[in-house]
Amino acid sequence: MKEKLRKIAEEAAAAISESGADLEALRIKYLGKKGELTAVLRGMGALSAEERPVIGQMANEIRADIEAKLESRRESAAAEALQKKLESEKIDVTVPAKKVSVGKMHPISLVQRQLEEIFLGMGYEIAEGPEVEYDYYNFQALNIPEDHPARDTQDTFYITDNILLRSQTSPVQARVMEKTQPPIKIISPGRVYRSDAVDATHSPLFHQVEGLVVDKGVTMGDLKGTLESFAKTMFGEETRIRFRPHHFPFTEPSAEIDVSCFACGGEGCRLCKGEGWIEILGGGMVHPQVLRNCGIDPEVYSGFAFGLGVERIVMLKYHIDDMRHLYENDVRFLHQF
Ligand code: DAH
C-alpha cells in the first residue's frame, strides 16, 4: 500500500509540473471523491491496527503535498498569464500620437473677420442685407436709374425683372438709412454677384465690405482719417493712403483709394506692378440724392461711404495669384492659412 501511495505521489507531482497542465482536472483525478488517493484510503479497512495510522498519516501527507503543489502551480500560472498580458498590452508612450484633423478658417473668412474687428474697434456696428435684392435697393435708391451706364459694369443675375442677386453691398446703405435716422455708423460684409466668367481675377460670386457713416458735419476729412487708420491696422503702421478722383453714382465727390504697397513700401515691385500703390477701396461722400431717397435731409446731415473687395485683400495679403484657388476647396491650399 505504501508503494501504491508513493506511486500516486510521484505521478501527481510529475503531472502537476508538466507545462500547460489542467490543474482542476488533476485535482479531481487525485483528490476528488472518486480520486485515486481517496480510493486508497477507502481500502484502509483491510489494514492491521498498527499499519492503519502509518498509512493514514502518509496518505494525509501526500494529500497535503499534492494540494500545496497544485496551489503553487496555480499561483505561478496566474503570474505567468499576467506577465504575458502585460507584455502584449504594453503601451509605448513615445509613439507619436495620431493626428486629429482639425479644420481651418477659410482665408476669406479670416480676412473678413479681421476687417470686422478693425471697424468694430472704431465703434461701427455690423448690418446685414439680403443677397437676393430688389433692383430698387441695388440700383435705383443708389442713384442708378434704369438705363444708367453704371449698370453695365455691374451686370448680375436676375430672378425677375426687379429682383436680382445683389451686385454690391451698397444696397445695405439704403436699407439702413431708410430704417434709421443718423447717427449711423455701420459696416456690412457679405456676398455679392456679377455675371462675370471665371478667370484668375474674376468670379461670379465674391465678397465685399461696405461702410457707411452719416451724422451732422461728417466730412471727406473723416473718411480720410478713417481709411488711413484702417490701412495702418490692416497693412502696417508705415502704410500711406492716396485718394484718386473717380465716379460712383452714389457718392459725390468720389474717389478710388490706394494704399502704399506693403511689399515694397512704395518703391515699385511685382505685387504693385511697379506702381508703388495698390488700389483697395472705392469711397466718397454720400450723394445728397441718396440721402433724400432714404428719407434723410441732406441739408442737416452728411455722410461718407466706402466699399472694398475682400478677395482682393486676401490675394494681396497672401500673395495668391489666382482667385480660383479660393473657391476650389483644395485642402492642400486651404490648410496653409
Ligand atoms: N459698390 C462699389 C462697387 O461695387 C464700391 C463702392 C464704391 C462702395 C464707393 C461705396 C462707395 O460705398 O462709396 O464697385
Side-chain angles (χ1 to χ4, degrees):
M1 209 152 197
K2 277 185 184 167
E3 199 45 45
K4 225 176 182 175
L5 283 174
R6 235 178 252 122
K7 226 179 128 202
I8 289 172
E10 267 170 33
E11 264 182 36
I16 291 168
S17 69
E18 220 167 82
S19 78
D22 181 343
L23 300 175
E24 182 54 16
L26 291 175
R27 187 190 65 77
I28 293 166
K29 179 170 181 205
Y30 292 105
L31 308 178
K33 270 186 195 149
K34 292 176 186 164
E36 293 184 21
L37 199 60
T38 320
V40 172
L41 292 173
R42 283 222 181 90
M44 283 201 352
L47 296 175
S48 67
E50 297 88 61
E51 273 181 315
R52 217 173 287 156
V54 180
I55 296 294
Q57 196 193 350
M58 189 175 165
N60 282 334
E61 280 170 10
I62 289 173
R63 163 179 282 275
D65 185 50
I66 291 176
E67 270 169 1
K69 284 203 165 81
L70 281 170
E71 185 51 31
S72 103
R73 247 331 277 284
R74 248 185 231 116
E75 276 170 18
S76 62
E80 233 171 74
L82 179 63
Q83 189 59 30
K84 260 196 194 144
K85 198 170 166 187
L86 285 177
E87 266 166 34
S88 70
E89 293 178 5
K90 202 156 46 180
I91 295 171
D92 181 354
V93 292
T94 67
V95 170
K98 274 198 188 128
K99 269 207 181 136
V100 182
S101 164
V102 181
K104 292 238 182 173
M105 211 188 283
H106 192 282
I108 292 177
S109 311
L110 214 62
V111 167
Q112 188 177 311
R113 300 253 173 128
Q114 246 175 317
L115 294 166
E116 288 172 6
E117 283 300 316
I118 293 174
F119 285 104
L120 286 173
M122 293 198 258
Y124 285 68
E125 284 177 50
I126 295 180
E128 289 191 57
E131 289 170 33
V132 180
E133 184 56 284
Y134 289 107
D135 182 284
Y136 174 76
Y137 288 109
N138 195 77
F139 292 126
Q140 296 166 49
L142 299 172
N143 215 16
I144 312 174
E146 267 182 63
D147 304 327
H148 192 288
R151 289 197 179 210
D152 284 354
T153 59
Q154 300 212 4
D155 192 17
T156 179
F157 304 94
Y158 283 80
I159 312 292
T160 68
D161 278 351
N162 62 6
I163 299 177
L164 44 76
L165 298 186
R166 67 177 181 189
S167 61
Q168 48 187 351
T169 43
S170 306
V172 185
Q173 287 188 34
R175 284 182 171 274
V176 170
M177 286 192 280
E178 221 175 51
K179 280 205 307 267
T180 337
Q181 279 298 306
I184 293 170
K185 198 171 174 185
I186 57 111
I187 56 162
S188 185
R191 293 192 193 97
V192 299
Y193 303 82
R194 297 206 188 158
S195 74
D196 285 332
V198 174
D199 67 20
T201 53
H202 291 88
S203 161
L205 179 160
F206 59 103
H207 299 72
Q208 289 186 337
V209 174
E210 192 80 12
L212 173 71
V213 174
V214 186
D215 203 350
K216 284 180 180 153
V218 175
T219 69
M220 195 88 169
D222 296 317
L223 174 61
K224 279 191 165 178
T226 301
L227 294 182
E228 186 171 306
S229 171
F230 155 71
K232 286 183 187 299
T233 315
M234 190 74 197
F235 301 108
E237 259 321 297
E238 58 300 330
T239 310
R240 288 160 291 131
I241 58 168
R242 174 174 88 168
F243 277 51
R244 273 182 295 106
H246 197 74
H247 170 261
F248 295 106
F250 36 87
T251 43
E252 179 58 35
S254 304
E256 276 188 333
I257 296 119
D258 305 336
V259 293
S260 55
C261 178
F262 42 85
C264 66
E267 281 171 24
C269 68
R270 234 164 54 101
L271 189 72
C272 59
K273 303 199 174 77
E275 290 281 322
W277 295 94
I278 297 175
E279 186 215 319
I280 58 157
L281 282 142
M285 299 307 291
V286 181
H287 197 294
Q289 187 56 46
V290 174
L291 292 174
R292 235 174 269 125
N293 291 346
C294 302
I296 292 177
D297 185 351
E299 298 301 325
V300 180
Y301 295 106
S302 59
F304 67 72
F306 58 86
L308 60 83
V310 179
E311 275 78 354
R312 184 156 164 76
I313 293 186
V314 172
M315 291 170 73
L316 288 167
K317 198 173 150 124
Y318 297 113
H319 302 274
I320 298 164
D321 57 7
D322 193 323
M323 198 169 181
R324 285 168 286 203
H325 289 309
L326 295 173
Y327 306 111
E328 281 170 352
N329 291 336
D330 185 337
V331 290
R332 291 169 304 179
F333 171 79
L334 295 173
H335 262 282
Q336 298 175 63
F337 302 93

